[in-house]
Amino acid sequence: MKILILNRYALDRVPYREWIDDEHELVLLTRAGALPPVEPEGYAEIVALDDYTSTAMVEFHAYRLHGTYRFDAVLAMSEFDILRSAALREAWGLPGQGVHSATAYRDKLVMKQVLSAAGVPVTPYGAVDSATDLVEFTRRHDYPVVVKPRTGASSIDVHVLRDRLELERFLGPGCPIRTDQPAHLIAERFVPNEMYTVDGCVRDGEVQLCWPSQITNGLAFESGDPLLSSALEPDDPYRAALVELTTRAIRALPTPNVSLFHAEVFRTPDGELVFNEIGCRVGGGKIRDMLIQAFGVDLLEWYVRHAFGTGDRMPTPAAAPRTQAGWLLAPPRPGVVTSVPTVCPLPAVKDYDLRVGVGTELADSTSSVDCVAAMVVVGDSRRVVLDELGHAMAWLNDSLVLA
């Protein structure tokens, strides 16, 4: 089998050649910055693009390579490659996730239409392609209203409009809505909530792993607060209901036979669970690394091996966490880094991912995943994990020196 891999991840964290047997020929089309200093071996060809994330040249080169190799499969795991890889499969007549499935998991409007039709509770929503659409939505549902891209991620360009004045400001200079071009936005009624994420994997249409975590507000970066998440304990009163609701959503959507998922669910002040959205990919932040600590399984490796015939070499995910775990993203604050520790001495911190160095010039966050460092911690209980997350954040704040 000849496999085209579309890749955004740092390649030292996704050793495709180790996960896929040598009988398969691999061609790598990757973001240039993802390559290690020494080009990896085992690929028939590697094409590295400096403009991978900013242009449509990925498709151009994919077609060029297909003319040479005549691919049998396309592998892509980043959220931003889900739709383009599905389109390539359909254009080339290849198996795997097609555009219908990818759109349902990527386009938040289509997703909510499918979920609401299946009886999965979602917040009131509506398409916003014009200013009229948005004004009419506020008239029907009142404020606050959330407006965001239908195919967005990481809380980028998410706006909460709390009154008519904020609507007026949103529709003014810099507004993403153009007079005669569909804006491709979605509006939702804002629901005061506690937020949960639910992560796991599907094989042969059956959920293999499904575990919820509670996470702080995805817009916390706007006030300079860290993003914190901690896995629920098995006896948490909301765990079973979160698993059941997420499983209903997966069954309602056109889910591939082998798939990852990352869902978001709101808990309202009266305890009702309302489904927000779901993607067919591993969660962002440090979710992947937290699940490695908690369950002993790397979801990216699990997915690749099960997609290409070596899934029997992966351990079966545990039914419950072997240890409680959580993670944080520490947001930047303006200044130039003059001192920052490269190692974390805290024993509860099992993964310290430093994203800056001396001389780095920092500005305020522009998304929920902007950070100076990311950490995964473990503990005997969720309460201990939350305490350790606080200690880790305090240690970093004391250790990071800015000019």
Side-chain angles (χ1 to χ4, degrees):
M1 182 180 291
K2 297 179 181 181
I3 304 170
L4 173 65
I5 301 173
L6 307 183
N7 176 68
R8 292 173 185 254
Y9 298 114
L11 206 61
D12 58 2
R13 298 217 61 208
V14 282
Y16 301 108
R17 187 69 278 178
E18 295 178 17
W19 296 345
I20 302 174
D21 281 351
D22 290 341
E23 66 189 67
H24 301 300
E25 188 174 22
L26 307 185
V27 174
L28 182 67
L29 182 51
T30 183
R31 177 177 62 87
L35 289 174
V38 177
E39 189 169 288
E41 298 179 349
Y43 296 89
E45 188 172 346
I46 296 175
V47 177
L49 302 180
D50 290 323
D51 54 359
Y52 187 103
T53 61
S54 59
T55 71
M57 291 302 293
V58 171
E59 286 88 339
F60 175 85
H61 286 283
Y63 267 88
R64 178 180 63 79
L65 292 165
H66 186 56
T68 300
Y69 294 95
R70 309 309 299 177
F71 296 113
D72 303 295
V74 179
L75 170 62
M77 293 186 290
S78 166
E79 180 171 22
F80 298 102
D81 289 330
I82 295 296
L83 274 171
R84 68 177 11 153
S85 62
L88 290 173
R89 290 187 197 100
E90 287 201 359
W92 299 342
L94 303 182
Q97 186 178 37
V99 173
H100 173 64
S101 170
T103 300
Y105 270 96
R106 186 77 180 98
D107 186 318
K108 295 173 176 57
L109 178 65
V110 176
M111 179 192 306
K112 289 181 185 289
Q113 290 170 338
V114 173
L115 293 177
S116 59
V120 177
V122 297
T123 58
Y125 66 92
V128 173
D129 283 323
S130 68
T132 298
D133 292 337
L134 181 55
V135 173
E136 283 297 316
F137 188 87
T138 64
R139 289 167 61 88
R140 292 194 304 271
H141 298 289
D142 206 357
Y143 300 98
V145 167
V146 180
V147 187
K148 57 188 178 183
R150 285 167 53 176
T151 56
S154 303
S155 300
I156 298 172
D157 294 327
V158 175
H159 301 270
V160 180
L161 310 180
R162 302 187 182 279
D163 52 36
R164 185 182 178 88
L165 179 59
E166 292 192 357
L167 171 64
E168 181 180 354
R169 290 172 179 163
F170 176 78
L171 294 175
C175 179
I177 299 174
R178 300 292 182 264
T179 303
D180 56 357
Q181 299 176 15
H184 208 65
L185 303 175
I186 183 172
E188 301 168 346
R189 188 173 69 191
F190 177 82
V191 176
N193 69 86
E194 297 291 333
M195 166 110 32
Y196 297 92
T197 60
V198 188
D199 296 276
C201 53
V202 174
R203 182 185 181 190
D204 297 329
E206 295 297 323
V207 175
Q208 303 289 301
L209 170 65
C210 186
W211 204 265
S213 302
Q214 190 166 9
I215 190 169
T216 53
N217 190 328
L219 297 177
F221 71 91
E222 293 181 343
S223 56
D225 295 323
L227 190 64
L228 304 174
S229 176
S230 55
L232 299 189
E233 293 179 311
D235 61 353
D236 186 280
Y238 286 98
R239 185 194 66 81
L242 287 161
V243 170
E244 190 273 336
L245 183 60
T246 303
T247 302
R248 285 174 58 195
I250 290 168
R251 289 174 177 166
L253 291 162
T255 304
N257 282 337
V258 177
S259 183
L260 305 179
F261 63 85
H262 170 69
E264 295 178 355
V265 181
F266 298 139
R267 173 165 61 87
T268 66
D270 61 3
E272 179 187 4
L273 295 179
V274 179
F275 206 85
N276 183 30
E277 59 189 55
I278 186 170
C280 53
R281 48 141 180 125
V282 72
K286 295 294 281 184
I287 290 173
R288 175 191 179 190
D289 302 284
M290 183 193 75
L291 293 175
I292 291 173
Q293 293 293 329
F295 290 93
V297 62
D298 180 348
L299 284 187
L300 291 186
E301 181 180 0
W302 184 95
Y303 175 80
V304 173
R305 287 191 180 277
H306 281 278
F308 295 104
T310 57
D312 57 341
R313 302 175 196 173
M314 289 294 296
T316 301
R322 61 186 185 181
T323 184
Q324 291 302 126
W327 56 272
L328 70 81
L329 301 184
R333 55 185 191 270
V336 176
V337 177
T338 60
S339 178
V340 62
T342 58
V343 176
C344 178
L346 303 179
V349 176
K350 300 302 181 183
D351 186 316
Y352 174 55
D353 182 5
L354 183 63
R355 308 285 178 87
V356 300
V358 173
T360 302
E361 185 172 353
L362 304 178
D364 288 327
S365 298
T366 58
S367 81
S368 62
V369 296
D370 282 349
C371 65
V372 296
M375 289 180 265
V376 176
V377 308
V378 299
D380 294 334
S381 68
R382 184 164 176 253
R383 181 68 264 166
V384 170
V385 167
L386 290 170
D387 288 343
E388 294 295 349
L389 287 171
H391 296 155
M393 191 65 231
W395 167 80
L396 184 63
N397 281 336
D398 290 341
S399 304
L400 176 65
V401 180
L402 304 177

